[in-house]
Amino acid sequence: MSKKIIESKHQIESSSMNNYNLLLITFGLTLVYFGFSRFSDGFYMHDEVANFLSMQNFWNEPSSILGANAKTGYKLFYILPALGGYSFLQFFNSIIAAFTVYFSYKTLVKLNSKHSLLIVFLLGIQPLWFMLSFRNYAEMLVAFLMVLAVYQHLNKKYVFAALIISYVAFTRTELHVVSGLYFLWLIFNKKWIPALLTGTFSLANALIGFIMTGDILHIVHDTQQFSESIKGAYPHQGFDHYFLMSSVIFGSGVIILFFNYIGATLLNKSKINWIILVPTVLIFLLNCLFNALFVDFGPGGGSLRYLLTMAPLITILGILSLDELIAIQKKYLLLILILPVIVLIGIYQTYEHNFIKFSEIRSWSSLIFALITTILILLPLKPKHYIVAFSFYALAVSLSIVDTRKIQPEEEIVKKAAKWYNDQLRMVNNPQNTNPVLFTEDSRVAVEHSLFYFYSGKNRKDFKNKPVGLIKEETDLLKKGDLVIWDSHYGYRPELRKTSQKFEYYDSNPKFQKIQYYQSNDKRFMIVFFLKTTDN
């Protein structure tokens, strides 16, 4: 080994943290994420509550987490932490997010990066990552597993990498594309046992489905059925949706650094890290395809959180681009690739947004941060200078963008409705109560809003009679004294439940009596209690 290589290796080792300090930072990030959750007490999407309820309900109904929509691997991973309650689950999610940063750092060190510490800032406090770090979504677990798999691969522990990638596909069905590609890589490199292991959890999932349903192709059929059932429910935002929203998801600085990686490796004629680049691009394009208007499959909807699965990977590539700069003398040549990206950001990404799409109001922050990133790239800085500069840059981005998510009017109203419901049950059990009894614990409930379960402190298993959904077949079978809890968000969704009924169906039906209702201050949401008055 040459003296120059030995010195370079020594510089990298001396610039990296020991594991004790890294664990301290990881623990610190966990506390920051969880601490932020105490102030951001609203919901990004109601899915985070529905997922929590499903995890808890597993112990009463194990088959409830089986299927394409259930994300079986994700729910199974969380069924024990969910027993600790919602706040504990948020803490557990914070740990997962923090350890994703931990293994991203480890990956960068393994790749001999001199800028590994930057991952704590460029990923750890990346705005969308930070705001969703503690929330209950499968994407954070997938991001963690993807980084862990890459790290194990780089350590040549292919068995572990294969098993982890297999679990990724077990968590999100569409990521069988990633496990399939890794299978091909392992076959090509004659890693026969790891190659077979890439299908471990898919096989287990198929066997579980076969035992419960008698269908050996349960995964395929369930995925087809799920895709068919949600057609039209979540409008596709277009193939270009995630291209347009990429700065909102990752930050324009990370986008510039990603293209800097492509440009710098080409200029240096360096070997591209395909094991990171391929899944990064594949996950991105796959989600773009799901939102394309010219296809009619996939989840659609355009939720930005779906892309968090690749946030660590694209950020790692961005940091690796800074290592490539050391060998480039004519940095201005990088502008050939970067300038068009800046122009596109300036034209298409300089608007305020609601985390789904842009408004018509201009906001120039993404362009400003892209320009600052480009200037830093072009400056003749040393590794330690890049670390300091981009750390302050990441802090500035986070402080200017990160915001809390407060409880919305709809959620406030559901909370009031759940309290009223519980109060009525307590009155029934109070021997001194003289008010008329409207319903009892024996009354079956028909309800769809997951927050009603959440705020009432009940899961499906906690009701004396198992609740049913708001479809005509179920509500027509309700008996005298049973309840329909109709809401304007989930009560009438014919694109998801063809026989769901409008408010007027219950309001004008003589078999039902309206006994209580709540309407939000913004007049956009209503929840109504209907009492079944006859068995006929």
Side-chain angles (χ1 to χ4, degrees), residues 382-511:
K382 295 181 179 179
K384 61 181 181 181
H385 297 144
Y386 274 125
I387 291 173
V388 172
F390 275 103
S391 296
F392 279 106
Y393 161 84
L395 284 168
V397 172
S398 187
L399 288 172
S400 64
I401 295 176
V402 168
D403 195 11
T404 57
R405 183 78 173 179
K406 294 300 182 182
I407 292 178
Q408 301 299 301
E410 175 182 339
E411 294 145 11
E412 289 280 8
I413 292 304
V414 178
K415 190 174 184 178
K416 286 183 179 180
K419 182 180 182 303
W420 179 82
Y421 172 82
N422 284 338
D423 287 344
Q424 295 300 309
L425 292 181
R426 280 192 289 268
M427 287 169 59
V428 170
N429 296 322
N430 185 354
Q432 299 178 351
N433 174 49
T434 58
N435 294 321
V437 174
L438 297 174
F439 52 85
T440 68
E441 291 181 350
D442 292 318
S443 300
R444 190 181 298 277
V445 171
V447 62
E448 291 290 350
H449 209 303
S450 57
L451 286 181
F452 178 81
Y453 291 101
F454 181 73
Y455 285 127
S456 64
K458 297 176 182 289
N459 208 321
R460 292 171 63 84
K461 64 181 177 59
D462 298 318
F463 288 82
K464 198 167 183 179
N465 287 306
K466 185 178 178 181
V468 295
L470 287 175
I471 55 176
K472 189 176 184 298
E473 295 87 342
E474 298 283 7
T475 58
D476 281 356
L477 293 176
L478 294 177
K479 297 180 180 180
K480 183 179 180 180
D482 290 343
L483 282 176
V484 166
I485 306 174
W486 189 93
D487 72 89
S488 57
H489 189 162
Y490 301 102
Y492 179 63
R493 297 291 297 273
E495 69 279 8
L496 287 176
R497 300 180 299 278
K498 292 183 179 179
T499 59
S500 62
Q501 302 297 312
K502 293 182 178 180
F503 167 78
E504 290 77 13
Y505 175 81
Y506 301 105
D507 191 44
S508 61
N509 194 327
K511 297 178 182 179

Side-chain angles (χ1 to χ4, degrees), residues 247 250-257 345 349 365-367 369-370 373 393:
S247 288
F250 312 112
S252 57
V254 171
I255 300 300
I256 295 297
L257 287 174
I345 289 173
Q349 298 186 353
S365 59
S366 58
L367 178 60
F369 291 132
T373 303
Y393 161 84

Side-chain angles (χ1 to χ4, degrees), residues 219-409:
I219 299 174
V220 176
H221 294 155
D222 185 75
T223 301
Q224 291 173 341
Q225 184 180 358
F226 173 66
S227 295
E228 185 67 28
S229 70
I230 63 172
K231 282 184 178 179
Y234 305 102
H236 291 202
Q237 301 296 326
F239 185 82
D240 61 349
H241 174 65
Y242 288 118
F243 285 95
L244 297 174
M245 303 300 292
S246 58
S247 288
V248 179
I249 303 168
F250 312 112
S252 57
V254 171
I255 300 300
I256 295 297
L257 287 174
F258 171 75
F259 282 98
N260 182 58
Y261 176 77
I262 303 299
T265 50
L266 291 175
L267 282 177
N268 286 334
K269 297 181 180 179
S270 302
K271 184 179 179 181
I272 293 177
N273 194 311
W274 296 108
I275 205 66
I276 298 179
L277 182 62
V278 169
T280 301
V281 174
L282 185 62
I283 291 171
F284 185 83
L285 292 178
L286 187 63
N287 280 277
C288 289
L289 185 62
F290 285 155
N291 268 279
L293 298 176
F294 54 81
V295 297
D296 198 15
F297 68 92
S303 176
L304 304 190
R305 65 181 170 89
Y306 296 151
L307 269 295
L308 288 181
T309 55
M310 55 172 279
L313 302 183
I314 193 172
T315 308
I316 287 172
L317 291 174
I319 292 172
L320 289 175
S321 78
L322 299 178
D323 295 296
E324 294 290 337
L325 292 179
I326 298 172
I328 298 177
Q329 293 182 346
K330 299 178 180 179
K331 289 185 179 181
Y332 61 85
L333 293 176
L334 294 168
L335 293 176
I336 296 172
L337 186 59
I338 293 176
L339 272 181
V341 177
I342 293 175
V343 172
L344 291 173
I345 289 173
I347 295 173
Y348 296 107
Q349 298 186 353
T350 50
Y351 297 90
E352 292 184 3
H353 60 86
N354 61 359
F355 290 102
I356 293 182
K357 58 177 66 175
F358 287 120
S359 69
E360 296 181 355
I361 302 173
R362 282 283 188 180
S363 173
W364 299 100
S365 59
S366 58
L367 178 60
I368 292 169
F369 291 132
L371 290 170
I372 292 173
T373 303
T374 304
I375 292 170
L376 290 175
I377 287 171
L378 296 176
L379 290 175
L381 301 178
K382 295 181 179 179
K384 61 181 181 181
H385 297 144
Y386 274 125
I387 291 173
V388 172
F390 275 103
S391 296
F392 279 106
Y393 161 84
L395 284 168
V397 172
S398 187
L399 288 172
S400 64
I401 295 176
V402 168
D403 195 11
T404 57
R405 183 78 173 179
K406 294 300 182 182
I407 292 178
Q408 301 299 301

